[in-house]
Every structure is written in structure tokens, then in C-alpha cells.
Amino acid sequence: MKDPRMAHELKTRHAAASAIGSNSIDREALQAARVDLAAAFRMAARLGLQEGVCNHFSAMVPGRDDLFLVNPYGHSFDEITASRLLVCDLHGNVVEGEGVPEATAFYIHACLHREVPRVKVAFHTHMPYTTALSMLEGEPLAWAGQTALKFYGRTAVDENYSGLALDDSEGERMAAALGDADILFLKNHGVLVAATDIAQAWDDLYYLERAAEAQVIAMSTGRSLKPIPREIAERTAAQIQDGNAESARAHLDSVKRQLAKLAPDFAE
């Protein structure tokens, strides 16, 4: 029986190179985005944030509102390189690169970028601690730790899990559920991180899993959590966001320096 994740392969076709035009893309900016996104994949793999070959990251091609980068189906995060990433349009065509995106990757990411234009980058994972919180009743984060406050006022929840995302309705529902939030907990499923650039998406993905890990460990003691008072949570969240862009960029740059020593092929 054909893997349902590959059902999209019947629809996806490689478009002619002229579909994007040699002069219609800032190649230097695209290459920089490829390297940044590949770095996020590689470090996510090293930290155990992937699940097999079934999770996906996407980023809009710089300067374009109709093309996005995404990982090809069948490769683990640890195998991703800058050149291996695909450029796809929002209608199911691979216009640059070898392979096809996973079916759920297309239906989630293309719909999200199309329906919520502010989302330039979208990371979807089933990373363990965050996914564990998505399996519980109620609000996923308890606002009991400082790291969690990075996300205070920035989360939303999609309560309506209905199986694999194999048609536009799934992506459209997720886009609607995201609203003005940056983090969408997908109940019974995983998480979606939305951002304006790759560095911010990586920073949020990393710290979200750390916050979730600390909460799960605290909950495992059987003792009651001590919530942070609302006024302090709001003030601290604002303080964190004040320097977030600079901190996120520095974080991703540090990841690239580490990978330059440990796995320099990520940038190829």
C-alpha cells in the first residue's frame, strides 16, 4: 500500500527553471537562508528534536511571497544540507531541488504561509517534551518557570486533531487556530513555531522544548507547581522580548560556529 505521506508526490511536479527566473531571486540572500535553515535542521537533530523523517521546517524565499524552502521527504534532519533543501511554490510544484516534500509538510506549510502572510518561517516538530504537554488536557504551559515566560501571551492551541494533514483543510484549520500567536500547540500531535525569520524560529523552538522539559520534570515530582503571578509574568515576558531579535541571531550564529567544527557539510 502506498505510504499516505507520499500521496502528494502524484500532485507535485518539478516546474521548469523559468518558473522562478534567474533574475527573480536574490541568490545571495537565498543561499544565506539555505545555510541558516540547514543549521537549524542539523542542531535540531543533535538535540533530539526530530522524529524520524516526518517533521519539517520551512522558510519563505527572501523577497518572494510565493516560494518557500522546505526539506525533502525521506531525509532525516541530520542529513539536510543547504543545497538539499527544496524551493516550492504554494500550489504544489517543486521549482528547485531534487525530491518532493512530505505530503503533510506541503499541506501544513503552504497553507500557513498562504493564509498567514506574516509567517515567513514555520517549524513543525513532534519534539518529546513539548509534544507530551500537547497530550494533556488544558493549557500546555503552566507559567511556572522563567524560560516559559519567553512564550507568555504568544501561544495558541489547536484542540481539533483529526489525523494526518493530507488536505488543505488541515493546514487552513491550523492557520486559523494560530491567529496572532507565534506558538501553536497541536493537541495530540506536536507543535508549530511561526516566526518572521529563521533565527527567531530556531530560538523559539529550542527554548520551548527546554521550558517543556523543565515543566515535565517538575510535574513528575508529584508536587504542586508554583505559578508566577500575572503581573510579574507579563513584565518578564516584555523584558525577554525587548532583546529577543538580537539574542536569537546570536544563538543561531553560535549554532553555525559549532556545526562548522562538528559537521561542516551542513553548509554545502
Side-chain angles (χ1 to χ4, degrees), residues 4-237:
R5 292 180 177 85
M6 294 301 292
H8 183 59
E9 185 174 4
L10 297 176
K11 177 183 177 184
T12 304
R13 295 291 184 269
H14 288 268
S18 59
I20 56 177
S22 60
N23 298 318
S24 62
I25 290 179
D26 182 335
R27 286 289 163 182
E28 185 176 350
L30 175 58
Q31 181 59 22
R34 285 181 175 276
V35 172
D36 280 357
L37 194 57
F41 277 112
R42 288 298 189 91
M43 190 54 73
R46 287 178 174 273
L47 296 177
L49 307 185
Q50 67 172 359
E51 186 172 64
V53 296
C54 300
N55 293 171
H56 15 83
F57 297 170
S58 66
M60 296 300 290
V61 170
R64 297 291 295 257
D65 60 6
D66 58 339
L67 300 174
F68 66 97
L69 288 163
V70 69
N71 48 311
Y73 177 74
H75 297 281
S76 74
F77 281 13
D78 198 44
E79 296 178 297
I80 297 299
T81 64
S83 61
R84 184 164 278 168
L85 293 167
L86 306 175
V87 175
C88 297
D89 68 19
L90 300 179
H91 305 290
N93 299 306
V94 175
V95 299
E96 191 169 284
E98 296 297 324
V100 295
E102 185 201 31
T104 63
F106 175 75
Y107 288 117
I108 291 173
H109 293 261
C111 284
L112 187 66
H113 291 307
R114 185 173 63 243
E115 299 293 326
V116 191
R118 69 176 177 85
V119 176
K120 302 301 183 184
V121 182
F123 287 4
H124 170 57
T125 74
H126 302 162
M127 52 191 186
Y129 290 99
T130 303
T131 300
L133 295 185
S134 80
M135 296 163 61
L136 304 176
E137 292 281 1
E139 183 72 24
L141 287 174
W143 316 121
Q146 177 174 285
T147 302
L149 296 185
K150 177 177 171 63
F151 307 102
Y152 191 84
R154 300 176 58 214
T155 66
V157 178
D158 177 4
E159 296 278 1
N160 300 306
Y161 176 73
S162 59
L164 296 182
L166 294 176
D167 58 60
D168 284 340
S169 65
E170 288 291 302
E172 290 167 356
R173 190 193 74 241
M174 291 179 191
L178 179 67
D180 295 328
D182 300 314
I183 308 298
L184 180 63
F185 283 90
L186 306 169
K187 283 297 182 82
N188 311 111
H189 183 176
V191 70
L192 188 68
V193 174
T196 57
D197 62 53
I198 295 167
Q200 290 179 332
W202 165 253
D203 199 57
D204 278 350
L205 189 81
Y206 172 84
Y207 282 109
L208 181 63
E209 182 68 350
R210 296 294 287 174
E213 180 181 11
Q215 181 173 318
V216 170
I217 292 171
M219 292 169 65
S220 73
T221 67
R223 298 174 61 183
S224 298
L225 296 177
K226 177 178 169 56
I228 297 169
R230 178 177 178 179
E231 62 274 14
I232 296 176
E234 291 176 346
R235 183 170 71 248
T236 305

